[in-house]
Amino acid sequence: MPVNYTTPSAQQLHPVAGVRLGIAEAGIRKLNRRDLTLIELAPGSRVAGVFTQNRFCAAPVQVCKQHLATHDIRALVINTGIANAGTGEPGLAAARATCAAAAQLLGIEARQVLPFSTGVIMEPLPVERIAAGLPKCQAALRGDAQAWHDAAHAIMTTDTVAKAASRQISLGGRTVNVTGISKGAGMIKPNMATMLGYVATDAAISQALLERMVKEAADASFNCITVDGDTSTNDSFVFIASGAAGNAEIIDAASTDYAALRAAVTAVAAELAQAIVRDGEGATKFIEIAVDGGRDHAECKAVGYAIAHSPLVKTAFFASDPNLGRILAAIGNAAQAHDTLGDLDVTKVKLWLGNTLVSEHGGRAASYQEADGAREMAPAEIVVRIDLGRGNAQAKVWTCDFSYDYVKINADYRS
């Protein structure tokens, strides 16, 4: 079970005007499983996205990037079970065929459809099953909150729970909704995790600012998480603005409306991102790593990731073993990932576990007792704080522990 996370009910989600969703059981990889989602967007909707930086990026990612360049997207198709990655030219043809099948149903052009896939890599995508399932998705299209709730379940793979989040704000006297869903539990690392995330709003915002906001939201959420340090081939985070709320179009990044919408979108994205970590494969603990006192944000993040990616640190957290020298070693190793840390003065570094000072002046803090460390490592939620003692920058990274079940889940993933 995930660490302190429960899927919101449909009643806790806000529908987004101009966005309809429908799901179906298409038998893409397994029978009796909701595995196909169609999202239909009203004319005039604007869409932006950020994607994996894995050089073996999946065929649907490549097609998405091409279609997004047209700035005229009317539908999204999402399948689970098969990732359509590592599939070469046939995979690209399959992604394009998926777009064509959806376009024919909706009376739009194939370039107006974005395809997304998640699941097993290097297996062919059964396009015929997707094409057969899409009419069922179309028949099920709805714009209510229940449709969002259903879609959150339909995009799952190794997830144990569906992930959704919602906010409601006021812009210029108009009520604006922001709702999102995501999936992910393993192969999670920053620069987009192995995840799919979709956030929609009915606010009106220019295309240029939409593209800026999706990057800002990703950097404050999905690019702050890691489960196992593996960057997927299929990671995608898409931000949709239907404009149906009737607010004055946001065209100024310095405006209060932009700030308010960005805060709501970032809050939804952060909730979804943290839910992914809380549902990390086999996870029993949620860990926040807060690094401050750095020269810049990048080196703070490098330290946070060095700790979060260390199997030795993560297994110690699973066992509640206060073998905290592993954290110091990880901090020292961060210099390999970020050049400016090469001159890190370890005598100025301080480390806290919860409220307990563990290390200062290059070694164990005089006040630290191992019983204190064991007590701080016992809860399901843990905060690790590091002060680098060399500046005013800060960053946070969210991760989880490594348990026996992580190996079991991934060893049996294709079965």
PDB file of all heavy atoms in Angstrom, residues 285 307 310-331 351 353 358-359 364 368-378 384:
ATOM      1  N   LYS A 285       8.303   3.974   3.037  1.00  0.00           N
ATOM      2  CA  LYS A 285       8.562   5.275   3.648  1.00  0.00           C
ATOM      3  C   LYS A 285       8.662   6.357   2.577  1.00  0.00           C
ATOM      4  O   LYS A 285       9.175   6.120   1.483  1.00  0.00           O
ATOM      5  CB  LYS A 285       9.857   5.240   4.475  1.00  0.00           C
ATOM      6  CG  LYS A 285       9.755   4.316   5.682  1.00  0.00           C
ATOM      7  CD  LYS A 285      11.021   4.299   6.504  1.00  0.00           C
ATOM      8  CE  LYS A 285      10.849   3.356   7.699  1.00  0.00           C
ATOM      9  NZ  LYS A 285      12.081   3.277   8.504  1.00  0.00           N
ATOM     10  N   ILE A 307      21.760  11.698  -2.528  1.00  0.00           N
ATOM     11  CA  ILE A 307      21.229  10.966  -1.366  1.00  0.00           C
ATOM     12  C   ILE A 307      20.071  10.076  -1.788  1.00  0.00           C
ATOM     13  O   ILE A 307      20.013   8.887  -1.453  1.00  0.00           O
ATOM     14  CB  ILE A 307      20.777  11.955  -0.275  1.00  0.00           C
ATOM     15  CG1 ILE A 307      21.965  12.771   0.233  1.00  0.00           C
ATOM     16  CG2 ILE A 307      20.101  11.215   0.882  1.00  0.00           C
ATOM     17  CD1 ILE A 307      21.570  13.959   1.080  1.00  0.00           C
ATOM     18  N   SER A 310      20.945   6.815  -3.751  1.00  0.00           N
ATOM     19  CA  SER A 310      21.856   5.835  -3.169  1.00  0.00           C
ATOM     20  C   SER A 310      21.106   4.603  -2.660  1.00  0.00           C
ATOM     21  O   SER A 310      20.297   4.697  -1.729  1.00  0.00           O
ATOM     22  CB  SER A 310      22.626   6.461  -2.001  1.00  0.00           C
ATOM     23  OG  SER A 310      23.293   5.459  -1.259  1.00  0.00           O
ATOM     24  N   PRO A 311      21.356   3.420  -3.229  1.00  0.00           N
ATOM     25  CA  PRO A 311      20.707   2.207  -2.718  1.00  0.00           C
ATOM     26  C   PRO A 311      21.067   1.941  -1.256  1.00  0.00           C
ATOM     27  O   PRO A 311      20.241   1.412  -0.505  1.00  0.00           O
ATOM     28  CB  PRO A 311      21.252   1.100  -3.635  1.00  0.00           C
ATOM     29  CG  PRO A 311      21.668   1.803  -4.883  1.00  0.00           C
ATOM     30  CD  PRO A 311      22.180   3.142  -4.430  1.00  0.00           C
ATOM     31  N   LEU A 312      22.293   2.305  -0.857  1.00  0.00           N
ATOM     32  CA  LEU A 312      22.691   2.084   0.535  1.00  0.00           C
ATOM     33  C   LEU A 312      21.878   2.951   1.485  1.00  0.00           C
ATOM     34  O   LEU A 312      21.462   2.505   2.563  1.00  0.00           O
ATOM     35  CB  LEU A 312      24.183   2.380   0.701  1.00  0.00           C
ATOM     36  CG  LEU A 312      25.135   1.415  -0.005  1.00  0.00           C
ATOM     37  CD1 LEU A 312      26.576   1.885   0.177  1.00  0.00           C
ATOM     38  CD2 LEU A 312      24.955   0.004   0.517  1.00  0.00           C
ATOM     39  N   VAL A 313      21.625   4.201   1.093  1.00  0.00           N
ATOM     40  CA  VAL A 313      20.797   5.082   1.919  1.00  0.00           C
ATOM     41  C   VAL A 313      19.366   4.567   1.962  1.00  0.00           C
ATOM     42  O   VAL A 313      18.739   4.479   3.022  1.00  0.00           O
ATOM     43  CB  VAL A 313      20.846   6.521   1.386  1.00  0.00           C
ATOM     44  CG1 VAL A 313      19.818   7.389   2.106  1.00  0.00           C
ATOM     45  CG2 VAL A 313      22.238   7.121   1.555  1.00  0.00           C
ATOM     46  N   LYS A 314      18.846   4.204   0.795  1.00  0.00           N
ATOM     47  CA  LYS A 314      17.437   3.809   0.703  1.00  0.00           C
ATOM     48  C   LYS A 314      17.151   2.510   1.456  1.00  0.00           C
ATOM     49  O   LYS A 314      16.095   2.352   2.077  1.00  0.00           O
ATOM     50  CB  LYS A 314      17.042   3.693  -0.770  1.00  0.00           C
ATOM     51  CG  LYS A 314      17.068   5.042  -1.486  1.00  0.00           C
ATOM     52  CD  LYS A 314      17.100   4.914  -2.995  1.00  0.00           C
ATOM     53  CE  LYS A 314      15.749   4.619  -3.559  1.00  0.00           C
ATOM     54  NZ  LYS A 314      14.826   5.762  -3.435  1.00  0.00           N
ATOM     55  N   THR A 315      18.091   1.573   1.421  1.00  0.00           N
ATOM     56  CA  THR A 315      17.886   0.329   2.168  1.00  0.00           C
ATOM     57  C   THR A 315      18.022   0.556   3.667  1.00  0.00           C
ATOM     58  O   THR A 315      17.350  -0.103   4.463  1.00  0.00           O
ATOM     59  CB  THR A 315      18.868  -0.755   1.703  1.00  0.00           C
ATOM     60  OG1 THR A 315      20.207  -0.229   1.700  1.00  0.00           O
ATOM     61  CG2 THR A 315      18.523  -1.231   0.299  1.00  0.00           C
ATOM     62  N   ALA A 316      18.878   1.491   4.070  1.00  0.00           N
ATOM     63  CA  ALA A 316      18.986   1.825   5.489  1.00  0.00           C
ATOM     64  C   ALA A 316      17.674   2.406   6.011  1.00  0.00           C
ATOM     65  O   ALA A 316      17.230   2.092   7.121  1.00  0.00           O
ATOM     66  CB  ALA A 316      20.133   2.805   5.723  1.00  0.00           C
ATOM     67  N   PHE A 317      17.036   3.251   5.192  1.00  0.00           N
ATOM     68  CA  PHE A 317      15.749   3.813   5.601  1.00  0.00           C
ATOM     69  C   PHE A 317      14.699   2.714   5.730  1.00  0.00           C
ATOM     70  O   PHE A 317      13.878   2.727   6.646  1.00  0.00           O
ATOM     71  CB  PHE A 317      15.286   4.880   4.617  1.00  0.00           C
ATOM     72  CG  PHE A 317      15.856   6.233   4.896  1.00  0.00           C
ATOM     73  CD1 PHE A 317      16.716   6.848   4.001  1.00  0.00           C
ATOM     74  CD2 PHE A 317      15.538   6.911   6.066  1.00  0.00           C
ATOM     75  CE1 PHE A 317      17.253   8.096   4.263  1.00  0.00           C
ATOM     76  CE2 PHE A 317      16.063   8.152   6.343  1.00  0.00           C
ATOM     77  CZ  PHE A 317      16.925   8.756   5.443  1.00  0.00           C
ATOM     78  N   PHE A 318      14.716   1.747   4.816  1.00  0.00           N
ATOM     79  CA  PHE A 318      13.766   0.646   4.898  1.00  0.00           C
ATOM     80  C   PHE A 318      13.924  -0.105   6.213  1.00  0.00           C
ATOM     81  O   PHE A 318      12.938  -0.469   6.869  1.00  0.00           O
ATOM     82  CB  PHE A 318      13.966  -0.315   3.721  1.00  0.00           C
ATOM     83  CG  PHE A 318      13.201  -1.601   3.841  1.00  0.00           C
ATOM     84  CD1 PHE A 318      11.809  -1.603   3.881  1.00  0.00           C
ATOM     85  CD2 PHE A 318      13.870  -2.819   3.922  1.00  0.00           C
ATOM     86  CE1 PHE A 318      11.101  -2.787   4.001  1.00  0.00           C
ATOM     87  CE2 PHE A 318      13.176  -4.000   4.040  1.00  0.00           C
ATOM     88  CZ  PHE A 318      11.783  -3.998   4.077  1.00  0.00           C
ATOM     89  N   ALA A 319      15.162  -0.331   6.614  1.00  0.00           N
ATOM     90  CA  ALA A 319      15.431  -1.090   7.836  1.00  0.00           C
ATOM     91  C   ALA A 319      15.379  -0.228   9.101  1.00  0.00           C
ATOM     92  O   ALA A 319      15.555  -0.744  10.198  1.00  0.00           O
ATOM     93  CB  ALA A 319      16.804  -1.746   7.734  1.00  0.00           C
ATOM     94  N   SER A 320      15.148   1.090   8.941  1.00  0.00           N
ATOM     95  CA  SER A 320      15.208   2.028  10.075  1.00  0.00           C
ATOM     96  C   SER A 320      16.548   1.924  10.781  1.00  0.00           C
ATOM     97  O   SER A 320      16.649   2.025  12.010  1.00  0.00           O
ATOM     98  CB  SER A 320      14.058   1.775  11.070  1.00  0.00           C
ATOM     99  OG  SER A 320      12.806   1.972  10.450  1.00  0.00           O
ATOM    100  N   ASP A 321      17.595   1.718   9.976  1.00  0.00           N
ATOM    101  CA  ASP A 321      18.949   1.563  10.508  1.00  0.00           C
ATOM    102  C   ASP A 321      19.684   2.906  10.420  1.00  0.00           C
ATOM    103  O   ASP A 321      19.975   3.377   9.316  1.00  0.00           O
ATOM    104  CB  ASP A 321      19.692   0.505   9.690  1.00  0.00           C
ATOM    105  CG  ASP A 321      21.154   0.365  10.104  1.00  0.00           C
ATOM    106  OD1 ASP A 321      21.495   0.822  11.215  1.00  0.00           O
ATOM    107  OD2 ASP A 321      21.935  -0.189   9.314  1.00  0.00           O
ATOM    108  N   PRO A 322      20.015   3.537  11.544  1.00  0.00           N
ATOM    109  CA  PRO A 322      20.665   4.844  11.507  1.00  0.00           C
ATOM    110  C   PRO A 322      22.148   4.766  11.129  1.00  0.00           C
ATOM    111  O   PRO A 322      23.030   5.255  11.846  1.00  0.00           O
ATOM    112  CB  PRO A 322      20.474   5.373  12.936  1.00  0.00           C
ATOM    113  CG  PRO A 322      20.419   4.152  13.776  1.00  0.00           C
ATOM    114  CD  PRO A 322      19.734   3.102  12.933  1.00  0.00           C
ATOM    115  N   ASN A 323      22.419   4.133   9.993  1.00  0.00           N
ATOM    116  CA  ASN A 323      23.771   4.044   9.453  1.00  0.00           C
ATOM    117  C   ASN A 323      23.989   5.312   8.619  1.00  0.00           C
ATOM    118  O   ASN A 323      24.071   5.271   7.390  1.00  0.00           O
ATOM    119  CB  ASN A 323      23.903   2.776   8.604  1.00  0.00           C
ATOM    120  CG  ASN A 323      25.332   2.501   8.191  1.00  0.00           C
ATOM    121  OD1 ASN A 323      26.235   3.308   8.442  1.00  0.00           O
ATOM    122  ND2 ASN A 323      25.549   1.366   7.552  1.00  0.00           N
ATOM    123  N   LEU A 324      24.070   6.446   9.301  1.00  0.00           N
ATOM    124  CA  LEU A 324      23.951   7.739   8.645  1.00  0.00           C
ATOM    125  C   LEU A 324      25.238   8.204   7.978  1.00  0.00           C
ATOM    126  O   LEU A 324      25.239   9.213   7.265  1.00  0.00           O
ATOM    127  CB  LEU A 324      23.453   8.770   9.653  1.00  0.00           C
ATOM    128  CG  LEU A 324      22.089   8.386  10.255  1.00  0.00           C
ATOM    129  CD1 LEU A 324      21.651   9.388  11.308  1.00  0.00           C
ATOM    130  CD2 LEU A 324      21.028   8.262   9.179  1.00  0.00           C
ATOM    131  N   GLY A 325      26.318   7.461   8.161  1.00  0.00           N
ATOM    132  CA  GLY A 325      27.517   7.747   7.391  1.00  0.00           C
ATOM    133  C   GLY A 325      27.257   7.573   5.897  1.00  0.00           C
ATOM    134  O   GLY A 325      27.936   8.180   5.063  1.00  0.00           O
ATOM    135  N   ARG A 326      26.259   6.751   5.562  1.00  0.00           N
ATOM    136  CA  ARG A 326      25.897   6.562   4.160  1.00  0.00           C
ATOM    137  C   ARG A 326      25.405   7.869   3.540  1.00  0.00           C
ATOM    138  O   ARG A 326      25.639   8.134   2.358  1.00  0.00           O
ATOM    139  CB  ARG A 326      24.818   5.477   4.035  1.00  0.00           C
ATOM    140  CG  ARG A 326      25.294   4.086   4.407  1.00  0.00           C
ATOM    141  CD  ARG A 326      24.174   3.060   4.281  1.00  0.00           C
ATOM    142  NE  ARG A 326      24.668   1.701   4.507  1.00  0.00           N
ATOM    143  CZ  ARG A 326      23.924   0.611   4.403  1.00  0.00           C
ATOM    144  NH1 ARG A 326      22.639   0.716   4.068  1.00  0.00           N
ATOM    145  NH2 ARG A 326      24.439  -0.585   4.623  1.00  0.00           N
ATOM    146  N   ILE A 327      24.705   8.678   4.327  1.00  0.00           N
ATOM    147  CA  ILE A 327      24.232   9.966   3.817  1.00  0.00           C
ATOM    148  C   ILE A 327      25.414  10.898   3.594  1.00  0.00           C
ATOM    149  O   ILE A 327      25.491  11.587   2.563  1.00  0.00           O
ATOM    150  CB  ILE A 327      23.204  10.597   4.777  1.00  0.00           C
ATOM    151  CG1 ILE A 327      21.968   9.697   4.884  1.00  0.00           C
ATOM    152  CG2 ILE A 327      22.821  11.991   4.302  1.00  0.00           C
ATOM    153  CD1 ILE A 327      20.885  10.234   5.803  1.00  0.00           C
ATOM    154  N   LEU A 328      26.354  10.919   4.524  1.00  0.00           N
ATOM    155  CA  LEU A 328      27.539  11.765   4.348  1.00  0.00           C
ATOM    156  C   LEU A 328      28.310  11.342   3.097  1.00  0.00           C
ATOM    157  O   LEU A 328      28.779  12.189   2.327  1.00  0.00           O
ATOM    158  CB  LEU A 328      28.455  11.670   5.577  1.00  0.00           C
ATOM    159  CG  LEU A 328      27.933  12.262   6.890  1.00  0.00           C
ATOM    160  CD1 LEU A 328      29.032  12.198   7.947  1.00  0.00           C
ATOM    161  CD2 LEU A 328      27.464  13.698   6.713  1.00  0.00           C
ATOM    162  N   ALA A 329      28.435  10.044   2.883  1.00  0.00           N
ATOM    163  CA  ALA A 329      29.144   9.561   1.701  1.00  0.00           C
ATOM    164  C   ALA A 329      28.428  10.008   0.427  1.00  0.00           C
ATOM    165  O   ALA A 329      29.067  10.389  -0.566  1.00  0.00           O
ATOM    166  CB  ALA A 329      29.254   8.041   1.743  1.00  0.00           C
ATOM    167  N   ALA A 330      27.100   9.969   0.449  1.00  0.00           N
ATOM    168  CA  ALA A 330      26.329  10.388  -0.724  1.00  0.00           C
ATOM    169  C   ALA A 330      26.515  11.876  -0.995  1.00  0.00           C
ATOM    170  O   ALA A 330      26.652  12.296  -2.150  1.00  0.00           O
ATOM    171  CB  ALA A 330      24.855  10.067  -0.516  1.00  0.00           C
ATOM    172  N   ILE A 331      26.546  12.681   0.068  1.00  0.00           N
ATOM    173  CA  ILE A 331      26.784  14.119  -0.107  1.00  0.00           C
ATOM    174  C   ILE A 331      28.141  14.336  -0.757  1.00  0.00           C
ATOM    175  O   ILE A 331      28.290  15.126  -1.697  1.00  0.00           O
ATOM    176  CB  ILE A 331      26.712  14.853   1.247  1.00  0.00           C
ATOM    177  CG1 ILE A 331      25.298  14.765   1.831  1.00  0.00           C
ATOM    178  CG2 ILE A 331      27.135  16.318   1.087  1.00  0.00           C
ATOM    179  CD1 ILE A 331      25.178  15.277   3.253  1.00  0.00           C
ATOM    180  N   LEU A 351      24.044  18.136   8.991  1.00  0.00           N
ATOM    181  CA  LEU A 351      23.030  17.160   8.608  1.00  0.00           C
ATOM    182  C   LEU A 351      22.082  16.925   9.770  1.00  0.00           C
ATOM    183  O   LEU A 351      22.521  16.678  10.895  1.00  0.00           O
ATOM    184  CB  LEU A 351      23.705  15.842   8.212  1.00  0.00           C
ATOM    185  CG  LEU A 351      22.809  14.605   8.100  1.00  0.00           C
ATOM    186  CD1 LEU A 351      21.817  14.759   6.946  1.00  0.00           C
ATOM    187  CD2 LEU A 351      23.664  13.343   7.919  1.00  0.00           C
ATOM    188  N   LEU A 353      18.481  14.727  10.840  1.00  0.00           N
ATOM    189  CA  LEU A 353      17.480  13.711  10.554  1.00  0.00           C
ATOM    190  C   LEU A 353      16.274  14.084  11.411  1.00  0.00           C
ATOM    191  O   LEU A 353      16.341  14.033  12.647  1.00  0.00           O
ATOM    192  CB  LEU A 353      18.001  12.327  10.925  1.00  0.00           C
ATOM    193  CG  LEU A 353      17.194  11.127  10.444  1.00  0.00           C
ATOM    194  CD1 LEU A 353      17.122  11.097   8.928  1.00  0.00           C
ATOM    195  CD2 LEU A 353      17.797   9.835  10.966  1.00  0.00           C
ATOM    196  N   VAL A 358      22.724  15.461  13.342  1.00  0.00           N
ATOM    197  CA  VAL A 358      23.504  14.229  13.239  1.00  0.00           C
ATOM    198  C   VAL A 358      24.986  14.513  13.043  1.00  0.00           C
ATOM    199  O   VAL A 358      25.841  13.867  13.645  1.00  0.00           O
ATOM    200  CB  VAL A 358      22.984  13.370  12.064  1.00  0.00           C
ATOM    201  CG1 VAL A 358      23.896  12.165  11.822  1.00  0.00           C
ATOM    202  CG2 VAL A 358      21.561  12.910  12.333  1.00  0.00           C
ATOM    203  N   SER A 359      25.282  15.495  12.170  1.00  0.00           N
ATOM    204  CA  SER A 359      26.684  15.725  11.819  1.00  0.00           C
ATOM    205  C   SER A 359      26.980  17.211  11.688  1.00  0.00           C
ATOM    206  O   SER A 359      26.160  17.975  11.173  1.00  0.00           O
ATOM    207  CB  SER A 359      27.003  15.005  10.497  1.00  0.00           C
ATOM    208  OG  SER A 359      28.321  15.273  10.074  1.00  0.00           O
ATOM    209  N   ARG A 364      30.535  13.334  13.432  1.00  0.00           N
ATOM    210  CA  ARG A 364      29.351  13.154  14.267  1.00  0.00           C
ATOM    211  C   ARG A 364      29.165  14.357  15.186  1.00  0.00           C
ATOM    212  O   ARG A 364      30.133  14.836  15.797  1.00  0.00           O
ATOM    213  CB  ARG A 364      29.503  11.886  15.105  1.00  0.00           C
ATOM    214  CG  ARG A 364      28.306  11.572  16.015  1.00  0.00           C
ATOM    215  CD  ARG A 364      28.669  10.482  17.010  1.00  0.00           C
ATOM    216  NE  ARG A 364      28.889   9.199  16.360  1.00  0.00           N
ATOM    217  CZ  ARG A 364      28.010   8.193  16.368  1.00  0.00           C
ATOM    218  NH1 ARG A 364      26.843   8.341  16.979  1.00  0.00           N
ATOM    219  NH2 ARG A 364      28.303   7.056  15.768  1.00  0.00           N
ATOM    220  N   TYR A 368      24.768  13.968  19.294  1.00  0.00           N
ATOM    221  CA  TYR A 368      24.030  12.890  18.624  1.00  0.00           C
ATOM    222  C   TYR A 368      24.195  11.557  19.332  1.00  0.00           C
ATOM    223  O   TYR A 368      25.297  11.157  19.697  1.00  0.00           O
ATOM    224  CB  TYR A 368      24.495  12.746  17.169  1.00  0.00           C
ATOM    225  CG  TYR A 368      23.853  11.584  16.462  1.00  0.00           C
ATOM    226  CD1 TYR A 368      22.505  11.617  16.124  1.00  0.00           C
ATOM    227  CD2 TYR A 368      24.592  10.445  16.147  1.00  0.00           C
ATOM    228  CE1 TYR A 368      21.902  10.543  15.481  1.00  0.00           C
ATOM    229  CE2 TYR A 368      24.001   9.365  15.502  1.00  0.00           C
ATOM    230  CZ  TYR A 368      22.655   9.421  15.173  1.00  0.00           C
ATOM    231  OH  TYR A 368      22.063   8.360  14.551  1.00  0.00           O
ATOM    232  N   GLN A 369      23.066  10.862  19.507  1.00  0.00           N
ATOM    233  CA  GLN A 369      23.053   9.497  20.042  1.00  0.00           C
ATOM    234  C   GLN A 369      22.344   8.592  19.032  1.00  0.00           C
ATOM    235  O   GLN A 369      21.361   8.994  18.409  1.00  0.00           O
ATOM    236  CB  GLN A 369      22.300   9.441  21.380  1.00  0.00           C
ATOM    237  CG  GLN A 369      22.900  10.311  22.472  1.00  0.00           C
ATOM    238  CD  GLN A 369      24.252   9.795  22.936  1.00  0.00           C
ATOM    239  OE1 GLN A 369      24.476   8.569  22.984  1.00  0.00           O
ATOM    240  NE2 GLN A 369      25.158  10.703  23.266  1.00  0.00           N
ATOM    241  N   GLU A 370      22.834   7.375  18.857  1.00  0.00           N
ATOM    242  CA  GLU A 370      22.248   6.489  17.851  1.00  0.00           C
ATOM    243  C   GLU A 370      20.779   6.213  18.136  1.00  0.00           C
ATOM    244  O   GLU A 370      19.985   6.028  17.208  1.00  0.00           O
ATOM    245  CB  GLU A 370      23.018   5.167  17.775  1.00  0.00           C
ATOM    246  CG  GLU A 370      22.501   4.275  16.650  1.00  0.00           C
ATOM    247  CD  GLU A 370      23.544   3.299  16.144  1.00  0.00           C
ATOM    248  OE1 GLU A 370      24.724   3.662  16.079  1.00  0.00           O
ATOM    249  OE2 GLU A 370      23.144   2.183  15.801  1.00  0.00           O
ATOM    250  N   ALA A 371      20.380   6.225  19.384  1.00  0.00           N
ATOM    251  CA  ALA A 371      18.965   6.018  19.716  1.00  0.00           C
ATOM    252  C   ALA A 371      18.105   7.130  19.119  1.00  0.00           C
ATOM    253  O   ALA A 371      16.957   6.893  18.715  1.00  0.00           O
ATOM    254  CB  ALA A 371      18.787   5.971  21.229  1.00  0.00           C
ATOM    255  N   ASP A 372      18.682   8.350  19.034  1.00  0.00           N
ATOM    256  CA  ASP A 372      17.950   9.462  18.428  1.00  0.00           C
ATOM    257  C   ASP A 372      17.740   9.201  16.937  1.00  0.00           C
ATOM    258  O   ASP A 372      16.663   9.443  16.387  1.00  0.00           O
ATOM    259  CB  ASP A 372      18.716  10.771  18.614  1.00  0.00           C
ATOM    260  CG  ASP A 372      18.883  11.146  20.080  1.00  0.00           C
ATOM    261  OD1 ASP A 372      17.978  10.806  20.869  1.00  0.00           O
ATOM    262  OD2 ASP A 372      19.908  11.768  20.415  1.00  0.00           O
ATOM    263  N   GLY A 373      18.786   8.713  16.273  1.00  0.00           N
ATOM    264  CA  GLY A 373      18.679   8.415  14.854  1.00  0.00           C
ATOM    265  C   GLY A 373      17.669   7.318  14.584  1.00  0.00           C
ATOM    266  O   GLY A 373      16.874   7.409  13.643  1.00  0.00           O
ATOM    267  N   ALA A 374      17.664   6.267  15.393  1.00  0.00           N
ATOM    268  CA  ALA A 374      16.710   5.168  15.226  1.00  0.00           C
ATOM    269  C   ALA A 374      15.286   5.664  15.405  1.00  0.00           C
ATOM    270  O   ALA A 374      14.373   5.252  14.676  1.00  0.00           O
ATOM    271  CB  ALA A 374      17.021   4.053  16.221  1.00  0.00           C
ATOM    272  N   ARG A 375      15.094   6.562  16.357  1.00  0.00           N
ATOM    273  CA  ARG A 375      13.752   7.111  16.593  1.00  0.00           C
ATOM    274  C   ARG A 375      13.279   7.931  15.395  1.00  0.00           C
ATOM    275  O   ARG A 375      12.130   7.830  14.974  1.00  0.00           O
ATOM    276  CB  ARG A 375      13.770   7.993  17.841  1.00  0.00           C
ATOM    277  CG  ARG A 375      12.399   8.566  18.212  1.00  0.00           C
ATOM    278  CD  ARG A 375      12.477   9.546  19.370  1.00  0.00           C
ATOM    279  NE  ARG A 375      13.239  10.740  19.005  1.00  0.00           N
ATOM    280  CZ  ARG A 375      14.442  11.032  19.477  1.00  0.00           C
ATOM    281  NH1 ARG A 375      15.051  10.207  20.318  1.00  0.00           N
ATOM    282  NH2 ARG A 375      15.063  12.137  19.100  1.00  0.00           N
ATOM    283  N   GLU A 376      14.181   8.714  14.816  1.00  0.00           N
ATOM    284  CA  GLU A 376      13.810   9.574  13.690  1.00  0.00           C
ATOM    285  C   GLU A 376      13.553   8.773  12.416  1.00  0.00           C
ATOM    286  O   GLU A 376      12.803   9.207  11.538  1.00  0.00           O
ATOM    287  CB  GLU A 376      14.914  10.601  13.426  1.00  0.00           C
ATOM    288  CG  GLU A 376      15.162  11.595  14.558  1.00  0.00           C
ATOM    289  CD  GLU A 376      14.092  12.673  14.646  1.00  0.00           C
ATOM    290  OE1 GLU A 376      13.082  12.583  13.923  1.00  0.00           O
ATOM    291  OE2 GLU A 376      14.268  13.607  15.442  1.00  0.00           O
ATOM    292  N   MET A 377      14.154   7.581  12.303  1.00  0.00           N
ATOM    293  CA  MET A 377      13.997   6.779  11.092  1.00  0.00           C
ATOM    294  C   MET A 377      12.797   5.854  11.134  1.00  0.00           C
ATOM    295  O   MET A 377      12.437   5.248  10.125  1.00  0.00           O
ATOM    296  CB  MET A 377      15.256   5.947  10.828  1.00  0.00           C
ATOM    297  CG  MET A 377      16.460   6.784  10.469  1.00  0.00           C
ATOM    298  SD  MET A 377      17.878   5.802   9.979  1.00  0.00           S
ATOM    299  CE  MET A 377      17.471   5.372   8.294  1.00  0.00           C
ATOM    300  N   ALA A 378      12.146   5.735  12.276  1.00  0.00           N
ATOM    301  CA  ALA A 378      11.043   4.793  12.425  1.00  0.00           C
ATOM    302  C   ALA A 378       9.762   5.188  11.702  1.00  0.00           C
ATOM    303  O   ALA A 378       9.069   4.327  11.153  1.00  0.00           O
ATOM    304  CB  ALA A 378      10.765   4.561  13.912  1.00  0.00           C
ATOM    305  N   VAL A 384      14.978  14.686   5.817  1.00  0.00           N
ATOM    306  CA  VAL A 384      16.434  14.806   5.925  1.00  0.00           C
ATOM    307  C   VAL A 384      16.780  16.233   5.519  1.00  0.00           C
ATOM    308  O   VAL A 384      16.363  16.691   4.455  1.00  0.00           O
ATOM    309  CB  VAL A 384      17.153  13.813   4.998  1.00  0.00           C
ATOM    310  CG1 VAL A 384      18.667  14.007   5.064  1.00  0.00           C
ATOM    311  CG2 VAL A 384      16.777  12.380   5.349  1.00  0.00           C
TER     312      VAL A 384
END
